[in-house]
Amino acid sequence: MTPQPRAARPRRPPDAGRSAVYAGEDQVARLLDRSVEFPVVEVAGSKIALPPERHFGDLAGVQRYVDRVLALGWVARRWPEAAVPVTVRERRGVTRAHYEAGTHTIAVPVRGVETRWALRELVLLHELAHHFTGSGTGAIDAGHGPAFTALLLELAGGVMGEEVAFLLRVAWMDQGVVIG
């Protein structure tokens, strides 16, 4: 009996801006990590007082944070997807966090010292931005394109403070990211 060929898995379109988006976010994360030593920084000719960033010690804390962001009145009014609950689960690998559209799940690495980068507010807002761009709700996933970056700027500015949105905008401009 001849084996039947497998059906090809549909390919996602390339996410050309992804690495530049991550590079800009990493730049902002480094600034926020050093905010105790340098609470005020000069960026693009502006002096910015760095706001504190929330860090989490476990999945329960991450889940509480995600639930609270989704419950914010302005978030619920702005993005109907906020009405869809998001579950948080542990991710086995240590190099990535991701959003699973079909199950509305954020997967973050938890175990090990090298996972501290993922248990932070900016990473969780990034993953929630994927949820809000319509991933899994019938809308077209924005990947890391202009619709995604505009949404993340709005979300980060509203939750973490406009200073963070400014830092992201400047970092992304330096990386050549297109902001919608």
Side-chain angles (χ1 to χ4, degrees):
M1 187 153 126
T2 307
Q4 295 294 320
R6 279 190 185 172
R9 186 184 295 182
R11 291 190 154 250
R12 295 174 94 178
D15 191 354
R18 187 171 95 178
S19 62
V21 167
Y22 289 158
E25 288 177 24
D26 289 345
Q27 185 179 335
V28 172
R30 285 191 300 274
L31 284 172
L32 294 172
D33 285 344
R34 302 203 56 203
S35 65
V36 171
E37 300 165 75
F38 303 101
V40 177
V41 295
E42 188 169 327
V43 175
S46 296
K47 288 192 177 191
I48 304 294
L50 297 173
E53 180 185 20
R54 292 169 184 90
H55 291 259
F56 307 94
D58 58 21
L59 279 180
V62 171
Q63 184 68 63
R64 282 190 302 274
Y65 176 78
V66 167
D67 293 343
R68 286 182 181 138
V69 171
L70 292 173
L72 291 171
W74 70 270
V75 169
R77 285 187 301 277
R78 176 68 178 89
W79 295 291
E81 294 83 0
V84 177
V86 173
T87 303
V88 177
R89 73 166 179 85
E90 182 175 356
R91 188 180 196 282
R92 279 192 291 222
V94 296
T95 60
R96 293 183 141 172
H98 69 269
Y99 176 71
E100 299 165 358
T103 60
H104 309 292
T105 301
I106 294 173
V108 291
V110 177
R111 299 175 200 267
V113 174
E114 64 278 357
T115 64
R116 290 184 48 94
W117 67 268
L119 298 174
R120 65 186 309 152
E121 191 169 19
L122 189 56
V123 169
L124 297 174
L125 293 178
H126 175 111
E127 300 310 330
L128 280 174
H130 284 300
H131 179 64
F132 295 154
T133 57
S135 301
T137 61
I140 295 176
D141 182 357
H144 293 86
F148 173 84
T149 54
L151 192 151
L152 182 52
L153 283 176
E154 186 177 349
L155 185 60
V159 175
M160 295 179 73
E162 289 301 323
E163 301 86 352
V164 173
F166 175 78
L167 293 171
L168 275 173
R169 183 179 297 280
V170 170
W172 283 340
M173 288 172 58
D174 287 349
Q175 295 293 327
V177 171
V178 177
I179 301 167

